[in-house]
Amino acid sequence: MNRSHARCVSLIVSAGLVSLAAPTGAQESSTSALETTAVELVQEYFRINTINPPGNETRAVDFFARIFDAEGIEYETAESAPGRGNIWARLRGGGNPALVLLHHSDVVPADATHWIVEPLSGVIRNGYVYGRGALDTKSLGIYHLQAFLALHRAGRPLNRDVIFMATADEEAGGFFGAGWLVENRPELFENVGFVLNEGGGGSLAGGSQRFVIEVTQKVPIWLRLVAGGLPGHGSTPRVETAANRLIRALDRLRNHRFAPRVLEPVDTYFKGIAAQEPDPWREPFANMQDAVQDQDFLLKLQLRDPYLHALTRNTCSITRFEGSSKINVVPTEAWAEIDCRMLPDQDPELFLEELRTVINDPAITIRQIMAFTPAISTTDSDVYRAIVDVTKRHYPQATILPGVSSGFTDSHFFRDLGIVAYGYDPSLIPTEDDAGVHGNNERISVENVRRGTRMMIEIVQRVVYDR
C-alpha cells in the first residue's frame, strides 16, 4: 500500500479531545532523546536495501535485532523463504487484548536516474530525509520502534502485551510476511485485539490539515487474462491471433465504465468537504448520489483527483502484458495482468461475471492471482480515541476522519481474524510530497520524524498505561 498510498477518505468526522496528563521532566527528556535518535535510525533504515523484488528483508531483521540486543529485549525471527525475514518482540503486560505495532520492511524499486539523490542514501537535504521507504513505511517503523523502546526503558506495568512487528513482502501482497505469520504462527495473535499499521495519515493542502485513520479498504482482485491462438511468422498476419484477442479484450475493459455507486460513508465525506471546495465542485460534492450519474462529471473528477474518483465505483487498471519473445514470431499465447479494486460491499462473483460479459470472448481465460475479503474496524475503542486525542493535541486545527482506502495494506489479514486494525501515520505530509510514494524523490521532513516519534509514543502510552 502503501500511504497507503492510496489515499484514504473519511467516513465520519470525529474530533473529541480528552486532556492528557502533562509529561514529567524525566519523560520529556527521554522522549526528546528518542526523537533525536529516530532521525539517525530513519537514515540508517533507508540505507538498507529491501527492494521487493527480491525483498531481502532479513537485512532489516538484522537491523532491528542489533537494536533489541543492545536494549536487552528478547525477540524472535522467521524466514518464510530464503532472505524473506520477519521479526517481532513482545513486552509483557496485563490481560487486556494485546496491541501490535506493525509495519513492512520491504520497499518498491526506485529508478535512480529520476531522483535528485541516491534512492537508498538516507541523506538529509534542506530539512528532509530522502530515501525509498520514507513514506512507505520505514519512517513509521521507526516511530513504532521508538514507542516500543520508550515502554521498555520506562519499566512501568503495562495493561496489555505490546508487540513490535516488522514483516516482509507487503508490496507484493504480504504472503511472505504478515500473511505467512498469520498462517504459520497463529499463536502470535492469540489475545491480540488491535493492530496499528499503515494506510492513513496526515495531509497538508493549502494550509488545511487533515488526518485520516484508515478503518477499511477497497478490495483488490488481481487477475491475469490469457489468450491463445495459432503461432506463425510475423510476415504473414492471421485474422485471429492470441495478441489480437488480448488487445480486443483489453480495449473493451479500457472503455468500460463500471456503474458508479456512492456508499453512505463516502457520501458523508463528500458532503463534509463540499463547503471548502471551490466552484464548480461545491455543489456536486454536496449531492454525489446525483452527480455520479453524469459521466462527464466523473471524468472531470478522475482527471482532477483519481483517488476520490476511485471511491465512487469499481476499477480496473491494465498494468502488465506480454506476447511473443521475438518480433517476427506470432505468439501461441498472450497475457495481461489487471489490478482491479472493488467497493467493500461488492460480491466478487458478480464482479467477475461482469468482466466476462465485458470481454465477451470465451477464448480468453481469466485467472485470479490474488483476492482479499472486505472488513471494517470499529471506531469505538480506546485505541481509536487515543489516536484522535493525541493528534488533536498536536494539531488542534486539523480535521480527523476515519477513512476508507482505495489501496490495500496487510491490515486485511488481521481484520479477517476479527482483530481491529487501524491505518495511521502521525506524519503531516504536504500533498506535493505524496507523489514520492512509489514515485521519485520520496522524502520526509526531519520535523515530521521528530514529531511523529513523539506522537506515537504518546498514543501507545495512552493505550497501555492505566490512569
Side-chain angles (χ1 to χ4, degrees):
M1 198 264 316
N2 310 233
R3 206 181 134 79
S4 258
H5 306 327
R7 188 183 303 171
C8 288
V9 300
S10 83
L11 303 182
I12 311 168
V13 175
S14 173
L17 175 61
V18 178
S19 62
L20 303 176
T24 66
Q27 289 173 332
E28 179 64 28
S29 176
S30 174
T31 300
S32 294
L34 286 164
E35 288 179 28
T36 300
T37 56
V39 177
E40 300 165 359
L41 289 170
V42 159
Q43 290 182 272
E44 185 177 353
Y45 199 11
F46 292 177
R47 292 170 185 146
I48 298 172
N49 186 348
T50 53
I51 291 173
N52 185 10
N56 289 320
E57 296 92 346
T58 296
R59 296 167 179 168
V61 168
D62 294 341
F63 167 71
F64 288 113
R66 289 195 302 272
I67 295 169
F68 292 145
D69 284 337
E71 295 282 339
I73 297 174
E74 294 184 358
Y75 58 89
E76 293 184 75
T77 68
E79 285 192 330
S80 53
R84 311 309 301 271
N86 302 276
I87 185 169
W88 60 96
R90 182 186 296 257
L91 298 177
R92 298 288 178 177
N96 289 346
L99 171 68
V100 174
L101 306 176
L102 172 74
H103 82 284
H104 62 88
S105 59
D106 64 318
V107 299
V108 297
D111 185 347
T113 61
H114 297 288
W115 285 58
I116 63 173
V117 300
E118 284 298 315
L120 302 182
S121 66
V123 68
I124 295 178
R125 179 180 289 191
N126 298 323
Y128 281 85
V129 191
Y130 284 79
R132 179 57 88 216
L135 301 177
D136 186 15
T137 60
K138 287 187 172 181
S139 58
L140 179 63
I142 298 303
Y143 303 161
H144 287 172
L145 173 70
Q146 299 300 75
F148 190 78
L149 295 182
L151 300 181
H152 168 70
R153 293 175 183 178
R156 289 178 57 184
L158 310 178
N159 62 24
R160 69 190 73 223
D161 288 3
V162 179
I163 303 167
F164 172 91
M165 187 171 287
T167 58
D169 195 45
E170 189 276 344
E171 296 293 359
F175 300 107
F176 289 96
W180 187 89
L181 289 175
V182 165
E183 183 175 351
N184 292 275
R185 296 297 303 270
E187 74 280 1
L188 295 176
F189 307 104
E190 294 176 2
N191 197 38
V192 168
F194 302 94
V195 172
L196 283 185
N197 187 23
E198 65 169 334
S203 61
L204 178 64
S208 176
Q209 301 172 351
R210 180 180 300 162
F211 278 84
V212 171
I213 305 166
E214 182 267 338
V215 296
T216 192
Q217 309 168 351
K218 286 185 75 177
V219 181
I221 296 188
W222 290 356
L223 303 171
R224 173 176 280 216
L225 309 185
V226 181
L230 292 174
H233 198 285
S235 64
T236 54
R238 297 178 180 272
V239 173
E240 198 66 86
T241 68
N244 290 347
R245 281 186 179 277
L246 183 65
I247 290 168
R248 184 172 61 223
L250 294 177
D251 191 53
R252 287 171 177 169
L253 278 177
R254 182 182 67 86
N255 287 298
H256 181 62
R257 296 293 177 262
F258 292 95
R261 200 167 70 259
V262 180
L263 304 182
E264 182 179 349
V266 176
D267 191 45
T268 300
Y269 169 74
F270 277 104
K271 283 181 167 63
I273 66 172
Q276 288 78 43
E277 290 292 320
D279 287 329
W281 302 101
R282 188 179 301 118
E283 182 176 349
F285 278 18
N287 301 279
M288 282 296 286
Q289 296 286 3
D290 294 332
V292 297
Q293 305 309 316
D294 182 348
Q295 289 296 325
D296 288 340
F297 166 76
L298 283 174
L299 178 58
K300 291 175 183 176
L301 180 62
Q302 186 176 15
L303 290 169
R304 181 201 187 209
D305 194 323
Y307 305 100
L308 294 184
H309 170 268
L311 292 162
T312 67
R313 67 202 324 174
N314 299 327
T315 61
C316 286
S317 293
I318 302 166
T319 55
R320 303 183 67 214
F321 38 84
E322 184 175 290
S324 177
S325 60
K326 200 169 188 296
I327 192 170
N328 63 343
V329 174
V330 176
T332 302
E333 184 177 280
W335 60 262
E337 291 178 351
I338 57 175
D339 180 353
C340 298
R341 309 293 173 109
M342 301 184 308
L343 293 172
D345 66 343
Q346 174 74 58
D347 182 323
E349 286 304 318
L350 290 178
F351 176 76
L352 289 173
E353 186 58 38
E354 180 177 0
L355 289 186
R356 293 188 186 99
T357 301
V358 171
I359 291 171
N360 193 27
D361 186 344
I364 298 284
T365 302
I366 302 177
R367 299 174 184 170
Q368 187 169 291
I369 299 172
M370 183 186 76
F372 299 149
T373 54
I376 185 169
S377 293
T378 178
T379 60
D380 184 15
S381 74
D382 290 341
V383 176
Y384 186 89
R385 285 185 283 273
I387 295 171
V388 171
D389 294 344
V390 171
T391 304
K392 201 68 178 176
R393 182 181 175 194
H394 283 266
Y395 295 99
Q397 304 304 315
T399 302
I400 304 171
L401 315 156
V404 54
S405 173
S406 59
F408 71 87
T409 70
D410 283 335
S411 290
H412 71 92
F413 291 116
F414 304 98
R415 290 176 180 146
D416 286 348
L417 299 178
I419 296 171
V420 174
Y422 298 126
Y424 174 79
D425 186 320
S427 306
L428 183 67
I429 306 300
T431 53
E432 58 267 25
D433 286 351
D434 263 341
V437 179
H438 290 204
N440 301 323
N441 299 312
E442 188 177 357
R443 65 181 191 172
I444 188 167
S445 70
V446 171
E447 170 59 25
N448 260 317
V449 173
R450 295 183 65 91
R451 188 187 292 250
T453 297
R454 178 177 292 267
M455 290 173 65
M456 190 60 68
I457 290 171
E458 292 177 7
I459 290 167
V460 173
Q461 288 177 339
R462 186 173 172 82
V463 172
V464 303
Y465 289 151
D466 291 327
R467 296 177 183 273

